[in-house]
Short mmCIF file of all heavy atoms in Angstrom, two decimals:
data_model
loop_
_atom_site.label_atom_id
_atom_site.label_comp_id
_atom_site.label_asym_id
_atom_site.label_seq_id
_atom_site.Cartn_x
_atom_site.Cartn_y
_atom_site.Cartn_z
N ALA A 201 -5.89 53.22 6.32
CA ALA A 201 -6.86 53.52 7.30
C ALA A 201 -7.36 52.28 8.16
O ALA A 201 -8.54 52.09 8.35
CB ALA A 201 -8.08 54.32 6.74
N GLY A 202 -6.39 51.40 8.50
CA GLY A 202 -6.73 50.37 9.39
C GLY A 202 -7.36 49.17 8.63
O GLY A 202 -7.74 48.20 9.24
N VAL A 203 -7.62 49.29 7.37
CA VAL A 203 -8.17 48.17 6.56
C VAL A 203 -7.10 47.41 5.84
O VAL A 203 -6.38 48.03 5.05
CB VAL A 203 -9.29 48.67 5.58
CG1 VAL A 203 -9.91 47.52 4.81
CG2 VAL A 203 -10.30 49.46 6.29
N ILE A 204 -6.99 46.06 6.17
CA ILE A 204 -5.94 45.33 5.49
C ILE A 204 -6.53 44.68 4.26
O ILE A 204 -7.65 44.11 4.18
CB ILE A 204 -5.54 44.17 6.54
CG1 ILE A 204 -5.03 44.76 7.80
CG2 ILE A 204 -4.45 43.29 5.77
CD1 ILE A 204 -4.50 43.70 8.72
N GLN A 205 -5.71 44.63 3.22
CA GLN A 205 -6.02 43.98 2.03
C GLN A 205 -4.90 42.97 1.69
O GLN A 205 -3.71 43.32 1.68
CB GLN A 205 -6.21 44.89 0.85
CG GLN A 205 -7.21 44.34 -0.14
CD GLN A 205 -7.35 45.31 -1.20
OE1 GLN A 205 -7.25 46.51 -1.12
NE2 GLN A 205 -7.67 44.69 -2.43
N ASN A 206 -5.15 41.72 1.47
CA ASN A 206 -4.21 40.73 1.15
C ASN A 206 -4.04 40.28 -0.27
O ASN A 206 -5.19 40.27 -0.93
CB ASN A 206 -4.45 39.41 1.98
CG ASN A 206 -4.42 39.59 3.50
OD1 ASN A 206 -3.40 40.14 3.98
ND2 ASN A 206 -5.52 39.25 4.16
N PHE A 207 -2.87 39.98 -0.66
CA PHE A 207 -2.61 39.67 -2.09
C PHE A 207 -1.75 38.47 -2.12
O PHE A 207 -0.86 38.33 -1.23
CB PHE A 207 -1.91 40.82 -2.80
CG PHE A 207 -2.77 42.08 -2.93
CD1 PHE A 207 -2.71 42.98 -1.89
CD2 PHE A 207 -3.60 42.30 -3.99
CE1 PHE A 207 -3.44 44.11 -1.94
CE2 PHE A 207 -4.30 43.53 -4.06
CZ PHE A 207 -4.22 44.39 -3.05
N LEU A 208 -1.87 37.71 -3.11
CA LEU A 208 -0.92 36.58 -3.42
C LEU A 208 -0.70 36.42 -4.96
O LEU A 208 -1.57 36.93 -5.74
CB LEU A 208 -1.41 35.27 -2.83
CG LEU A 208 -2.58 34.59 -3.52
CD1 LEU A 208 -2.34 33.78 -4.66
CD2 LEU A 208 -3.18 33.68 -2.40
N ARG A 209 0.48 35.98 -5.31
CA ARG A 209 0.70 35.73 -6.68
C ARG A 209 1.52 34.46 -6.77
O ARG A 209 2.25 34.08 -5.89
CB ARG A 209 1.42 36.83 -7.43
CG ARG A 209 2.79 37.09 -6.99
CD ARG A 209 3.47 38.11 -7.84
NE ARG A 209 4.84 38.47 -7.38
CZ ARG A 209 5.53 39.51 -7.74
NH1 ARG A 209 5.06 40.37 -8.68
NH2 ARG A 209 6.78 39.76 -7.26
N ILE A 210 1.30 33.74 -7.88
CA ILE A 210 1.82 32.46 -8.02
C ILE A 210 2.75 32.47 -9.24
O ILE A 210 2.35 32.97 -10.35
CB ILE A 210 0.77 31.36 -8.26
CG1 ILE A 210 -0.15 31.32 -6.95
CG2 ILE A 210 1.34 29.97 -8.59
CD1 ILE A 210 -1.28 30.28 -7.13
N ALA A 211 3.94 31.95 -9.11
CA ALA A 211 4.86 31.83 -10.26
C ALA A 211 5.35 30.41 -10.36
O ALA A 211 5.88 29.92 -9.39
CB ALA A 211 6.10 32.77 -10.04
N ASP A 212 5.07 29.77 -11.49
CA ASP A 212 5.67 28.51 -11.82
C ASP A 212 6.97 28.91 -12.45
O ASP A 212 7.13 29.47 -13.37
CB ASP A 212 4.71 27.89 -12.88
CG ASP A 212 5.16 26.46 -13.18
OD1 ASP A 212 6.38 26.11 -13.09
OD2 ASP A 212 4.41 25.61 -13.75
N GLN A 213 8.08 28.38 -11.69
CA GLN A 213 9.40 28.72 -12.03
C GLN A 213 9.98 28.09 -13.29
O GLN A 213 10.96 28.52 -13.80
CB GLN A 213 10.37 28.38 -10.84
CG GLN A 213 10.03 28.97 -9.55
CD GLN A 213 10.27 30.45 -9.45
OE1 GLN A 213 9.43 31.31 -9.74
NE2 GLN A 213 11.66 30.83 -9.15
N ARG A 214 9.23 27.17 -13.72
CA ARG A 214 9.77 26.40 -14.90
C ARG A 214 9.41 27.14 -16.20
O ARG A 214 8.58 28.09 -16.17
CB ARG A 214 9.24 25.05 -14.87
CG ARG A 214 9.76 24.25 -13.67
CD ARG A 214 8.82 23.09 -13.32
NE ARG A 214 7.50 23.44 -12.98
CZ ARG A 214 6.62 22.50 -12.52
NH1 ARG A 214 6.98 21.29 -12.36
NH2 ARG A 214 5.41 22.98 -12.24
#
Side-chain angles (χ1 to χ4, degrees):
Chain A
V203 180
I204 300 180
Q205 209 183 331
N206 294 310
F207 299 86
L208 65 84
R209 69 174 173 192
I210 298 176
D212 184 337
Q213 301 288 95
R214 294 160 297 185

